[in-house]
Structure formats: structure tokens, C-alpha cells
Coordinates of all heavy atoms in Angstrom, one line a residue:
M10 N 2.9 17.2 -8.9 CA 3.0 17.0 -7.5 C 2.9 15.6 -7.1 O 2.1 14.9 -7.5 CB 1.8 17.8 -6.9 CG 2.0 19.3 -6.9 SD 3.3 19.8 -5.9 CE 3.1 21.6 -6.2
P11 N 3.9 15.1 -6.3 CA 3.8 13.7 -5.8 C 2.8 13.5 -4.8 O 2.7 14.2 -3.8 CB 5.2 13.5 -5.2 CG 5.7 14.9 -4.9 CD 5.1 15.8 -5.8
I12 N 1.8 12.7 -5.2 CA 0.7 12.4 -4.2 C 0.7 10.9 -3.9 O 1.0 10.1 -4.8 CB -0.6 12.7 -4.9 CG1 -0.7 14.2 -5.1 CG2 -1.7 12.3 -3.9 CD1 -2.0 14.6 -5.8
F13 N 0.8 10.6 -2.7 CA 0.8 9.3 -2.3 C -0.4 8.9 -1.4 O -1.0 9.7 -0.8 CB 2.0 9.0 -1.3 CG 3.3 9.2 -2.0 CD1 4.0 10.4 -1.8 CD2 3.9 8.3 -2.8 CE1 5.2 10.7 -2.4 CE2 5.1 8.5 -3.5 CZ 5.8 9.8 -3.3
E14 N -0.8 7.7 -1.6 CA -2.0 7.2 -1.1 C -1.7 6.2 0.1 O -0.8 5.4 -0.1 CB -3.0 6.5 -2.1 CG -4.4 6.5 -1.6 CD -5.4 6.1 -2.8 OE1 -4.8 6.0 -3.9 OE2 -6.5 6.2 -2.6
F15 N -2.3 6.3 1.2 CA -2.1 5.4 2.2 C -3.4 4.9 2.8 O -4.5 5.4 2.6 CB -1.5 6.3 3.4 CG -0.1 6.9 3.1 CD1 0.0 8.0 2.5 CD2 1.0 6.1 3.3 CE1 1.3 8.7 2.2 CE2 2.3 6.6 2.9 CZ 2.4 7.9 2.4
R16 N -3.2 3.7 3.4 CA -4.3 3.1 4.1 C -4.0 2.8 5.5 O -3.0 2.3 5.8 CB -4.7 1.7 3.4 CG -6.0 1.1 3.9 CD -6.3 -0.3 3.3 NE -5.3 -1.2 3.6 CZ -4.5 -2.0 2.7 NH1 -4.8 -1.8 1.4 NH2 -3.7 -2.7 3.0
C17 N -5.0 3.3 6.3 CA -4.8 3.0 7.7 C -5.0 1.6 8.1 O -6.0 1.0 7.7 CB -5.8 3.9 8.5 SG -5.7 3.7 10.2
L18 N -4.1 1.0 8.8 CA -4.2 -0.3 9.2 C -5.1 -0.5 10.4 O -5.5 -1.7 10.7 CB -2.8 -0.8 9.6 CG -1.7 -0.9 8.4 CD1 -0.4 -1.4 8.9 CD2 -2.3 -1.7 7.3
Q19 N -5.4 0.6 11.0 CA -6.4 0.5 12.2 C -7.8 0.5 11.8 O -8.5 -0.4 12.2 CB -6.1 1.7 13.2 CG -4.7 1.8 13.8 CD -4.6 0.8 15.0 OE1 -5.6 0.4 15.6 NE2 -3.5 0.4 15.4
C20 N -8.1 1.4 10.9 CA -9.6 1.5 10.6 C -9.9 1.4 9.1 O -11.0 1.4 8.7 CB -10.1 2.9 11.1 SG -9.5 4.4 10.2
G21 N -8.8 1.3 8.4 CA -8.9 1.0 6.9 C -9.2 2.2 6.1 O -9.5 2.1 4.9
K22 N -9.1 3.4 6.7 CA -9.4 4.6 6.0 C -8.3 4.9 4.9 O -7.1 4.7 5.1 CB -9.3 5.8 7.0 CG -9.2 7.1 6.4 CD -10.6 7.7 6.0 CE -10.6 9.1 5.5 NZ -11.8 9.5 4.9
L23 N -8.8 5.2 3.8 CA -7.9 5.5 2.6 C -7.8 7.0 2.5 O -8.8 7.7 2.6 CB -8.4 5.0 1.3 CG -8.0 3.6 0.9 CD1 -8.8 3.1 -0.2 CD2 -6.6 3.5 0.6
F24 N -6.5 7.5 2.4 CA -6.3 9.0 2.3 C -5.1 9.3 1.4 O -4.2 8.4 1.3 CB -6.3 9.7 3.6 CG -5.2 9.3 4.5 CD1 -4.0 10.0 4.6 CD2 -5.2 8.1 5.2 CE1 -3.0 9.7 5.3 CE2 -4.1 7.7 6.0 CZ -3.0 8.5 6.1
E25 N -5.2 10.4 0.9 CA -3.9 10.8 0.1 C -3.2 11.9 0.8 O -3.6 12.6 1.6 CB -4.5 11.4 -1.3 CG -5.1 10.4 -2.2 CD -5.7 11.1 -3.3 OE1 -5.8 12.3 -3.4 OE2 -6.0 10.3 -4.3
K26 N -1.9 11.9 0.4 CA -1.0 12.9 1.1 C -0.2 13.6 0.0 O 0.4 12.8 -0.8 CB 0.0 12.1 2.1 CG 0.7 13.1 3.1 CD -0.2 13.5 4.3 CE 0.5 14.4 5.1 NZ -0.3 14.9 6.2
L27 N -0.1 14.8 0.0 CA 0.6 15.5 -1.0 C 1.8 16.0 -0.5 O 1.9 16.7 0.7 CB -0.3 16.7 -1.5 CG 0.4 17.7 -2.4 CD1 0.6 17.0 -3.8 CD2 -0.5 19.0 -2.5
F28 N 3.0 15.8 -1.1 CA 4.3 16.2 -0.7 C 4.8 17.3 -1.5 O 5.0 17.2 -2.7 CB 5.2 15.0 -0.8 CG 4.9 13.9 0.1 CD1 4.2 12.7 -0.4 CD2 5.1 13.9 1.5 CE1 3.9 11.7 0.4 CE2 4.8 12.8 2.4 CZ 4.2 11.7 1.7
L29 N 5.0 18.4 -0.8 CA 5.3 19.7 -1.5 C 6.8 19.7 -1.7 O 7.2 20.2 -2.8 CB 4.9 20.8 -0.7 CG 3.3 21.0 -0.5 CD1 3.1 22.2 0.3 CD2 2.6 21.1 -1.8
D30 N 7.6 19.1 -0.9 CA 9.0 19.2 -1.0 C 9.5 17.7 -1.4 O 8.9 16.7 -1.0 CB 9.7 19.6 0.4 CG 9.3 20.9 0.7 OD1 9.3 21.8 -0.1 OD2 9.0 21.2 1.8
Q31 N 10.6 17.7 -2.1 CA 11.2 16.4 -2.5 C 11.7 15.8 -1.2 O 11.6 14.5 -1.1 CB 12.2 16.6 -3.6 CG 11.7 17.2 -4.8 CD 10.7 16.3 -5.5 OE1 10.8 15.2 -5.4 NE2 9.8 16.9 -6.1
Q32 N 12.2 16.5 -0.4 CA 12.7 15.8 0.8 C 12.2 16.6 2.0 O 12.5 17.7 2.3 CB 14.2 15.9 0.9 CG 14.8 15.0 2.0 CD 16.1 14.6 1.7 OE1 16.9 15.2 0.9 NE2 16.7 13.5 2.3
A33 N 11.2 16.0 2.7 CA 10.6 16.6 3.8 C 10.3 15.7 4.9 O 10.0 14.5 4.7 CB 9.3 17.3 3.2
E34 N 10.3 16.2 6.1 CA 9.9 15.4 7.2 C 8.4 15.7 7.4 O 8.0 16.8 7.6 CB 10.7 15.8 8.4 CG 10.9 14.6 9.4 CD 11.8 15.1 10.6 OE1 11.5 16.0 11.2 OE2 12.8 14.3 10.8
I35 N 7.7 14.6 7.4 CA 6.2 14.8 7.5 C 5.7 14.0 8.5 O 6.2 13.0 8.9 CB 5.6 14.5 6.1 CG1 6.2 13.1 5.7 CG2 5.9 15.5 5.0 CD1 5.3 12.4 4.6
E36 N 4.5 14.3 8.8 CA 3.8 13.6 9.9 C 2.7 12.8 9.2 O 1.9 13.4 8.6 CB 3.3 14.5 11.0 CG 2.7 13.7 12.2 CD 2.3 14.6 13.3 OE1 2.4 15.8 13.1 OE2 1.9 14.1 14.3
L37 N 2.8 11.6 9.3 CA 1.9 10.7 8.6 C 1.0 10.0 9.6 O 1.4 9.1 10.4 CB 2.5 9.6 7.8 CG 3.0 10.1 6.3 CD1 3.7 8.9 5.7 CD2 1.7 10.4 5.6
K38 N -0.3 10.4 9.6 CA -1.2 9.6 10.5 C -2.6 9.7 9.8 O -2.9 10.5 9.1 CB -1.1 10.1 12.0 CG -1.5 11.5 12.1 CD -1.3 11.9 13.6 CE -1.7 13.3 13.8 NZ -1.5 13.7 15.2
C39 N -3.4 8.7 10.4 CA -4.7 8.6 9.8 C -5.5 9.8 10.2 O -5.5 10.2 11.4 CB -5.3 7.3 10.4 SG -7.0 7.1 10.0
P40 N -6.1 10.5 9.2 CA -7.0 11.6 9.5 C -8.3 11.2 10.3 O -9.0 12.1 10.8 CB -7.4 12.1 8.2 CG -7.2 11.0 7.2 CD -6.2 10.1 7.8
R41 N -8.6 9.9 10.3 CA -9.8 9.5 11.0 C -9.6 9.1 12.5 O -10.2 9.7 13.4 CB -10.5 8.3 10.2 CG -11.8 7.9 10.9 CD -12.3 6.6 10.4 NE -12.9 6.7 9.1 CZ -13.3 5.6 8.4 NH1 -13.0 4.4 8.8 NH2 -13.9 5.8 7.3
C42 N -8.6 8.2 12.6 CA -8.4 7.7 14.0 C -7.1 8.1 14.6 O -6.8 7.9 15.7 CB -8.5 6.2 14.0 SG -7.2 5.3 13.2
G43 N -6.2 8.8 13.7 CA -5.0 9.3 14.3 C -3.9 8.2 14.4 O -2.8 8.5 14.8
A44 N -4.1 6.9 14.0 CA -3.1 5.9 14.0 C -1.9 6.3 13.1 O -2.2 6.8 12.0 CB -3.7 4.5 13.8
D45 N -0.7 5.8 13.5 CA 0.4 6.0 12.5 C 0.8 4.6 11.9 O 1.8 4.5 11.3 CB 1.5 6.6 13.2 CG 2.0 5.8 14.4 OD1 1.4 4.8 14.6 OD2 3.0 6.2 15.1
S46 N 0.0 3.6 12.0 CA 0.2 2.4 11.2 C -0.5 2.4 9.9 O -1.7 2.3 9.8 CB -0.4 1.2 12.1 OG 0.1 1.1 13.4
L47 N 0.3 2.8 8.9 CA -0.2 3.1 7.6 C 0.5 2.1 6.6 O 1.5 1.7 6.7 CB 0.0 4.5 7.2 CG -0.5 5.5 8.2 CD1 0.0 6.9 7.8 CD2 -2.0 5.4 8.3
D48 N -0.3 1.8 5.5 CA 0.2 1.0 4.5 C 0.2 2.0 3.2 O -0.7 2.7 2.9 CB -0.8 -0.1 4.2 CG 0.0 -1.3 3.7 OD1 1.2 -1.3 3.8 OD2 -0.7 -2.3 3.3
R49 N 1.4 2.0 2.6 CA 1.5 2.7 1.4 C 0.7 2.0 0.3 O 0.8 0.8 0.0 CB 2.9 2.8 1.0 CG 3.1 3.3 -0.4 CD 3.4 4.8 -0.4 NE 3.6 5.3 -1.8 CZ 4.8 5.2 -2.4 NH1 5.9 4.8 -1.8 NH2 5.0 5.6 -3.6
V50 N -0.1 2.8 -0.4 CA -0.9 2.2 -1.5 C -0.5 2.8 -2.9 O -0.4 4.0 -3.0 CB -2.5 2.6 -1.4 CG1 -3.2 2.0 -2.5 CG2 -2.9 2.1 0.0
I51 N -0.1 1.9 -3.8 CA 0.3 2.4 -5.0 C -0.9 2.4 -5.9 O -1.3 1.3 -6.5 CB 1.4 1.4 -5.6 CG1 2.6 1.1 -4.5 CG2 2.0 2.0 -6.9 CD1 3.4 2.3 -4.2
S52 N -1.2 3.6 -6.2 CA -2.5 3.7 -7.1 C -2.3 4.5 -8.4 O -3.0 4.6 -9.2 CB -3.6 4.2 -6.3 OG -3.3 5.6 -5.8
R53 N -1.2 5.4 -8.3 CA -1.0 6.3 -9.4 C 0.1 5.7 -10.3 O 1.1 5.2 -9.8 CB -0.6 7.7 -8.8 CG -1.6 8.2 -8.0 CD -2.9 8.5 -8.7 NE -4.0 8.7 -7.8 CZ -4.4 9.9 -7.4 NH1 -3.8 11.0 -8.0 NH2 -5.5 10.1 -6.6
A54 N -0.1 5.8 -11.5 CA 0.9 5.4 -12.5 C 2.2 6.2 -12.4 O 3.3 5.7 -12.5 CB 0.5 5.4 -13.9
N55 N 2.1 7.5 -12.1 CA 3.2 8.4 -12.1 C 3.1 9.3 -10.9 O 2.8 10.6 -11.2 CB 3.2 9.1 -13.5 CG 4.6 9.9 -13.5 OD1 5.6 9.6 -12.8 ND2 4.6 10.9 -14.4
P56 N 3.4 8.9 -9.8 CA 3.3 9.8 -8.6 C 4.4 10.8 -8.4 O 4.2 11.8 -7.8 CB 3.2 8.8 -7.4 CG 4.0 7.6 -7.9 CD 3.8 7.6 -9.4
V57 N 5.5 10.5 -9.0 CA 6.7 11.3 -8.7 C 7.1 12.0 -10.1 O 7.3 11.2 -11.1 CB 7.8 10.5 -8.1 CG1 9.0 11.5 -7.9 CG2 7.4 9.9 -6.8
M58 N 7.2 13.2 -10.2 CA 7.7 13.8 -11.4 C 8.8 14.8 -11.1 O 8.8 15.4 -10.0 CB 6.5 14.6 -12.1 CG 5.4 13.7 -12.5 SD 4.1 14.5 -13.4 CE 5.0 15.2 -14.8
G59 N 9.7 14.9 -12.0 CA 10.7 15.9 -11.8 C 11.9 15.6 -10.9 O 12.6 16.5 -10.6
T60 N 12.0 14.4 -10.4 CA 13.1 14.1 -9.5 C 14.3 13.6 -10.3 O 15.4 13.6 -9.8 CB 12.7 13.0 -8.5 OG1 12.2 11.9 -9.3 CG2 11.7 13.5 -7.6
K61 N 14.2 13.2 -11.5 CA 15.3 12.8 -12.4 C 16.3 11.8 -11.8 O 17.5 12.1 -11.6 CB 16.2 14.1 -12.7 CG 15.4 15.1 -13.6 CD 15.3 14.5 -15.0 CE 14.5 15.4 -16.0 NZ 14.1 14.7 -17.2
G62 N 15.7 10.8 -11.3 CA 16.5 9.7 -10.8 C 17.0 9.9 -9.4 O 17.6 8.9 -8.9
K63 N 16.7 11.0 -8.9 CA 17.1 11.2 -7.5 C 16.3 10.4 -6.5 O 15.1 10.4 -6.6 CB 17.1 12.7 -7.2 CG 17.7 13.1 -5.8 CD 17.7 14.7 -5.6 CE 16.3 15.1 -5.6 NZ 16.3 16.6 -5.3
K64 N 16.9 9.8 -5.6 CA 16.2 9.0 -4.6 C 15.7 9.9 -3.5 O 16.6 10.6 -2.9 CB 16.9 7.9 -4.1 CG 16.0 6.7 -3.9 CD 16.9 5.4 -3.6 CE 16.0 4.2 -3.7 NZ 16.8 2.9 -3.6
T65 N 14.5 9.9 -3.2 CA 14.0 10.8 -2.1 C 13.5 9.9 -1.0 O 12.8 8.9 -1.1 CB 12.8 11.6 -2.7 OG1 13.2 12.3 -3.8 CG2 12.2 12.5 -1.5
T66 N 13.9 10.3 0.2 CA 13.5 9.5 1.4 C 12.6 10.4 2.3 O 13.0 11.5 2.6 CB 14.8 9.0 2.2 OG1 15.5 8.3 1.3 CG2 14.3 8.2 3.4
L67 N 11.5 9.9 2.5 CA 10.6 10.7 3.4 C 10.5 9.9 4.7 O 10.2 8.7 4.8 CB 9.2 10.7 2.8 CG 9.1 11.3 1.4 CD1 7.7 11.1 0.8 CD2 9.4 12.8 1.5
T68 N 10.8 10.6 5.7 CA 10.7 10.0 7.2 C 9.7 10.7 8.0 O 9.6 11.9 8.0 CB 12.1 10.1 7.8 OG1 13.2 9.6 6.9 CG2 12.2 9.4 9.1
T69 N 8.9 9.9 8.5 CA 7.8 10.4 9.4 C 8.3 10.8 10.7 O 9.3 10.3 11.2 CB 6.6 9.5 9.5 OG1 7.1 8.3 10.2 CG2 6.2 9.0 8.2
K70 N 7.6 11.7 11.3 CA 8.0 12.1 12.7 C 7.5 11.2 13.7 O 7.8 11.2 14.8 CB 7.5 13.5 12.9 CG 8.2 14.6 12.2 CD 7.9 16.0 12.7 CE 7.6 16.9 11.6 NZ 7.1 18.2 12.1
S71 N 6.4 10.5 13.3 CA 5.7 9.7 14.3 C 6.3 8.4 14.5 O 5.8 7.4 14.2 CB 4.2 9.5 13.7 OG 4.3 9.0 12.4
C72 N 7.4 8.4 15.2 CA 8.2 7.2 15.6 C 7.9 7.1 17.1 O 8.4 8.0 18.0 CB 9.6 7.4 15.4 SG 10.0 7.6 13.7
S73 N 7.2 6.1 17.4 CA 6.9 5.8 18.8 C 7.4 4.5 19.2 O 7.6 3.5 18.4 CB 5.3 5.9 19.0 OG 4.7 5.0 18.1
P74 N 7.7 4.3 20.5 CA 8.2 3.0 21.0 C 7.2 1.9 20.7 O 6.0 2.1 20.9 CB 8.3 3.2 22.5 CG 8.5 4.7 22.7 CD 7.6 5.3 21.5
G75 N 7.7 0.8 20.2 CA 6.8 -0.3 19.9 C 6.3 -0.4 18.5 O 6.0 -1.4 18.0
S76 N 6.5 0.7 17.8 CA 6.1 0.8 16.4 C 7.2 1.3 15.6 O 7.8 2.3 15.9 CB 4.8 1.6 16.1 OG 5.0 2.9 16.3
S77 N 7.5 0.7 14.5 CA 8.7 1.1 13.7 C 8.3 2.4 13.0 O 7.2 2.7 12.6 CB 9.0 0.0 12.8 OG 7.9 -0.3 11.9
C78 N 9.5 3.2 12.8 CA 9.3 4.4 12.1 C 9.1 4.0 10.6 O 9.5 3.0 10.1 CB 10.6 5.2 12.2 SG 11.1 5.6 13.9
M79 N 8.3 4.9 10.0 CA 8.1 4.6 8.5 C 9.0 5.4 7.7 O 9.1 6.6 7.8 CB 6.5 5.0 8.3 CG 6.3 4.7 6.8 SD 4.5 5.2 6.4 CE 3.6 4.0 7.4
T80 N 9.7 4.8 6.9 CA 10.6 5.5 5.9 C 10.2 5.1 4.5 O 10.1 3.8 4.2 CB 12.0 5.1 6.2 OG1 12.4 5.4 7.5 CG2 12.9 5.8 5.2
L81 N 10.0 6.0 3.7 CA 9.4 5.8 2.4 C 10.7 6.1 1.4 O 11.2 7.3 1.4 CB 8.3 6.6 2.1 CG 7.0 6.5 3.0 CD1 6.0 7.6 2.5 CD2 6.5 5.1 2.9
E82 N 11.1 5.2 0.6 CA 12.0 5.5 -0.4 C 11.3 5.7 -1.7 O 10.6 4.7 -2.2 CB 13.1 4.3 -0.4 CG 14.0 4.4 0.7 CD 15.4 3.8 0.3 OE1 15.4 3.1 -0.7 OE2 16.4 4.1 1.0
V83 N 11.4 6.8 -2.2 CA 10.7 7.1 -3.5 C 11.7 7.1 -4.6 O 12.5 8.1 -4.7 CB 9.9 8.4 -3.4 CG1 9.2 8.7 -4.6 CG2 9.1 8.4 -2.1
P84 N 11.7 6.2 -5.5 CA 12.5 6.3 -6.6 C 12.1 7.4 -7.6 O 11.0 7.7 -7.7 CB 12.4 4.9 -7.3 CG 11.1 4.4 -6.8 CD 10.9 5.1 -5.4
G85 N 13.1 8.0 -8.2 CA 12.9 9.1 -9.1 C 12.3 8.5 -10.4 O 12.0 7.4 -10.6
A86 N 11.8 9.5 -11.2 CA 11.1 9.2 -12.4 C 12.1 8.5 -13.4 O 11.6 7.8 -14.3 CB 10.5 10.3 -13.0
G87 N 13.4 8.5 -13.1 CA 14.2 7.9 -14.1 C 14.7 8.9 -15.2 O 14.1 10.0 -15.4
D88 N 15.9 8.4 -15.8 CA 16.3 9.3 -16.9 C 15.7 9.1 -18.2 O 15.4 7.9 -18.5 CB 17.9 9.2 -16.9 CG 18.5 9.7 -15.7 OD1 18.0 10.7 -15.2 OD2 19.4 9.1 -15.3
Ligands
LIG123 ZN1 -7.5 5.2 11.0

């Protein structure tokens, strides 16, 4: 299961997000303060499995004026 770790830029809260689908529209926001200004934290050696080189793009729903939408490009595990 691909698990990504994020850090809230507002309050510094660290949290993990589990992505069940390879391509999914998800809502990413801080569980503590609700901010959508997040930093992707690379903490796992192998966060993505079974994608076989397919590039997965995760786009958050939380696109608001004044703040850029977050798009995550997740490279596959490779061949
Ligand atoms: Zn926060």
C-alpha cells in the first residue's frame, strides 16, 4: 500500500495518508488545523509498490484561490 507522509506548513503536524487507488482524487489537508498547505515528506524507502513504471498523478480537490493546487507525481517502482 502506498503511504505518503506529509507535513503541514501551517502547524507542522506530521501525518500519513494511505492511497488505496493508484489514481485517485483525494482531499489532502491537515488533520489538526485543516490547512491544505502541505509538504510531501519522503520517509519511506519504498512507498509505491506494484505500479510497474506507471506514473501516477494524484490531484487534490482542495484547490482554492490564492493557493496552488497540489499535484503529486508518483513514479512507479520501475521495471
Ligand atoms: Zn496543520
